């Protein structure tokens, strides 16, 4: 049997043009530019204005992805969209992307919060390895500003909107996604959630009044879990692939706070200069962070570069993925 690995063959991204700066936030809540930069590393974020859903950004990303790879959307065999801010509960956002681009393949959304894009890559990788799918698109897209409470200074400073997408295709030379470790701890439901809007807690005027339809987290606790769990999982993944930290060319992390990333870097023994960082200009874009980073750093990745992808989010969910890069971008 021929060994197939799933290789990223194109990446694309879309961020809306409007910016929300720290100076803008100073006019909304009791905060300062200095506090935000020192505690999070964020300077500005992109926000999708108006009655537009996550799909509008995802559609742009997938359109651009097809153009870059020189394929028509109709050649795509599956579309997976990782999001916690779908346009609506159903039909799913992946279906809306397919409708806009006239794709009739299998398509579904995946809800694993900020780890969603890694979960999507792992599923897509196995689709490709099965031999039944030749072109699988994984989207990470979120309009986090649609669930942000702009009266809560501890969380409204964090989030931005955006979408990224990658195309996975079979590789027969051992290049691509080589190992993944994804984990969950359901007890995390106590410290990171959006309570209302599902079947257990439908939206009511009272719940709206109490802002239960918006993002909530216990920041300090989430912070500690993010550092310890991502470091431990990444170290396990590196060890079982006989890799030392210094052999990794780039770390592509989900980004909720720059201090979290610096701590993880120390614990996994990878110099911080190898971390691809977009939180300073995009904020925390949830499922979109990793593909947006791949998109912005694409030209610096060379064939056979070793990449470590890491993520942490609600669930709790977290994980790490080791892959080798497949192409030199023009
Ligand atoms: O992507 C999903 C996963 N999410 C994460 O990984 C996020 C993890 N958590 C964090 O990134 C950080 O906990 C935050 C950025 C949310 C908060 O930073 P922190 O350093 O943990 O601050 P803190 O919550 O411990 O608050 C420290 C102080 C408090 O004041 P007192 O009680 O010490 O007087 C807060 O009220 O900072 C105050 N504070 C602020 N001050 C100015 C909190 N938010 C702000 C603010 N501006 N925006």
């Amino acid at each position: 049997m021929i060994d197939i690995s799933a290789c990223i063959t194109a990446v694309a991204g879309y961020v809306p043009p409007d910016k929300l700066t720290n100076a803008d936030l100073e006019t909304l809540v009791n905060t300062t530019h200095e506090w935000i930069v020192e505690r999070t590393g964020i300077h500005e974020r992109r926000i999708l204005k108006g009655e537009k859903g996550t799909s509008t950004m995802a559609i742009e990303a997938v359109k651009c992805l097809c153009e870059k790879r020189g394929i028509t959307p109709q050649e795509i065999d599956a579309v997976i969209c990782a999001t916690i801010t779908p346009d609506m509960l159903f039909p799913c956002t992946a279906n809306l992307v397919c409708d806009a681009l006239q794709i009739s393949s299998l398509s579904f959304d995946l809800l694993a919060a900020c780890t969603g894009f890694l979960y999507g890559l792992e599923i897509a990788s196995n689709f490709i390895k099965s031999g039944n799918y030749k072109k699988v698109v994984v989207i990470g897209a979120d309009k986090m500003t649609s669930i942000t409470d702009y009266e809560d200074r501890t969380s409204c400073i964090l989030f931005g909107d955006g979408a990224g997408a990658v195309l996975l295709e079979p590789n027969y030379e051992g290049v691509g996604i080589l190992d993944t470790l994804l984990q969950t701890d359901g007890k995390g439901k106590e410290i990171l959630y959006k309570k209302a809007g599902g079947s257990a807690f439908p939206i009511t005027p009272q719940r709206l009044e109490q802002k239960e339809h918006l993002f909530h987290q216990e920041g300090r606790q989430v912070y500690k879990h993010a550092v310890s769990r991502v470091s431990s999982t990444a170290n396990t993944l590196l060890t079982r692939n006989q890799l030392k930290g210094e052999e990794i060319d780039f770390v592509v992390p989900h980004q909720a706070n720059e201090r979290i990333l610096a701590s993880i870097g120390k614990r996994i023994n990878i110099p911080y200069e190898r971390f691809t960082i977009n939180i300073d200009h995009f904020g925390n874009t949830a499922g979109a962070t990793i593909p947006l980073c791949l998109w912005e750093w694409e030209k610096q990745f060379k064939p056979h570069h070793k990449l470590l992808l890491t993520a942490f989010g609600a669930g709790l969910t977290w994980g790490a993925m080791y892959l080798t890069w497949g192409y030199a971008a023009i």
Side-chain angles (χ1 to χ4, degrees):
M1 211 172 91
I2 308 166
D3 271 346
I4 305 173
S5 50
C7 188
I8 295 175
T9 55
V11 299
Y14 175 82
V15 287
D18 289 304
K19 291 180 181 173
L20 181 69
T21 64
N22 291 347
D24 296 330
L25 285 163
E26 284 176 356
T27 68
L28 296 178
V29 288
N30 181 15
T31 193
T32 61
H33 169 70
E34 291 72 26
W35 190 96
I36 299 171
V37 172
E38 189 193 316
R39 306 305 288 174
T40 69
I42 303 171
H43 289 248
E44 61 183 33
R45 320 117 190 93
R46 298 301 181 94
I47 56 168
L48 184 63
K49 286 190 172 170
E51 284 216 347
K52 290 180 187 162
T54 295
S55 70
T56 59
M57 299 184 289
I59 289 163
E60 291 305 318
V62 176
K63 240 193 249 173
C64 170
L65 187 75
C66 293
E67 280 164 19
K68 279 177 82 172
R69 185 66 181 140
I71 61 168
T72 63
Q74 293 70 44
E75 289 175 64
I76 294 167
D77 298 315
V79 178
I80 302 172
C81 180
T83 184
I84 48 169
T85 53
D87 285 31
M88 51 193 127
L89 271 180
F90 63 86
C92 69
T93 300
N95 296 159
L96 303 179
V97 172
C98 289
D99 178 47
L101 302 179
Q102 295 165 318
I103 302 169
S104 57
S105 74
L106 170 161
S107 68
F108 61 92
D109 282 5
L110 191 159
L111 204 162
C114 300
T115 319
F117 185 73
L118 283 197
Y119 273 62
L121 281 185
E122 173 66 356
I123 292 165
S125 167
N126 283 290
F127 277 6
I128 296 279
K129 280 162 129 178
S130 75
N132 294 329
Y133 299 83
K134 305 290 181 211
K135 287 182 171 45
V136 180
V137 168
V138 183
I139 305 164
D142 273 303
K143 183 182 179 181
M144 287 303 287
T145 58
S146 68
I147 58 166
T148 298
D149 176 1
Y150 283 100
E151 289 178 346
D152 174 14
R153 70 173 181 171
T154 67
S155 63
C156 73
I157 54 156
L158 299 172
F159 298 111
D161 303 328
V166 301
L167 180 68
L168 290 174
E169 295 183 70
N171 182 286
Y172 305 97
E173 287 149 14
V175 179
I177 296 172
L178 300 182
D179 198 10
T180 312
L181 183 50
L182 297 171
Q183 299 188 277
T184 303
D185 177 358
K187 295 200 176 47
K189 66 182 185 298
E190 313 291 343
I191 58 169
L192 187 48
Y193 54 82
K194 176 175 107 68
K195 188 170 171 183
S199 54
F201 306 103
I203 301 276
T204 61
Q206 247 172 343
R207 292 200 174 104
L208 284 177
E209 176 74 25
Q210 287 169 11
K211 300 185 172 176
E212 290 179 6
H213 60 302
L214 299 176
F215 173 94
H216 176 85
Q217 74 172 347
E218 302 297 326
R220 283 186 207 184
Q221 289 189 57
V222 174
Y223 186 108
K224 283 186 203 152
H225 282 292
V227 172
S228 66
R229 301 207 176 193
V230 171
S231 309
S232 158
T233 296
N235 274 327
T236 304
L237 191 78
L238 291 172
T239 305
R240 78 182 188 195
N241 287 282
Q242 283 111 42
L243 281 167
K244 295 206 169 70
E246 65 253 29
E247 291 175 79
I248 296 295
D249 295 293
F250 289 97
V251 181
V252 186
H254 167 63
Q255 311 184 22
N257 186 320
E258 247 201 302
R259 289 183 296 136
I260 293 179
L261 304 177
S263 298
I264 292 172
K266 284 189 189 127
R267 290 176 182 223
I268 62 176
N269 201 25
I270 302 183
Y272 197 55
E273 304 77 67
R274 296 196 199 163
F275 278 60
T276 58
I277 302 293
N278 66 7
I279 190 170
D280 55 339
H281 50 287
F282 291 157
N284 178 349
T285 49
T289 300
I290 292 177
L292 283 175
C293 255
L294 293 173
W295 172 54
E296 281 194 288
W297 264 261
E298 183 192 23
K299 289 200 172 128
Q300 295 182 47
F301 302 151
K302 301 293 170 230
H304 301 286
H305 264 161
K306 295 182 173 69
L307 269 59
L308 178 70
L309 277 45
T310 62
F312 180 88
L316 303 173
T317 55
W318 70 97
M321 173 175 279
Y322 165 48
L323 61 87
T324 48
W325 196 250
Y327 64 95
I330 311 154

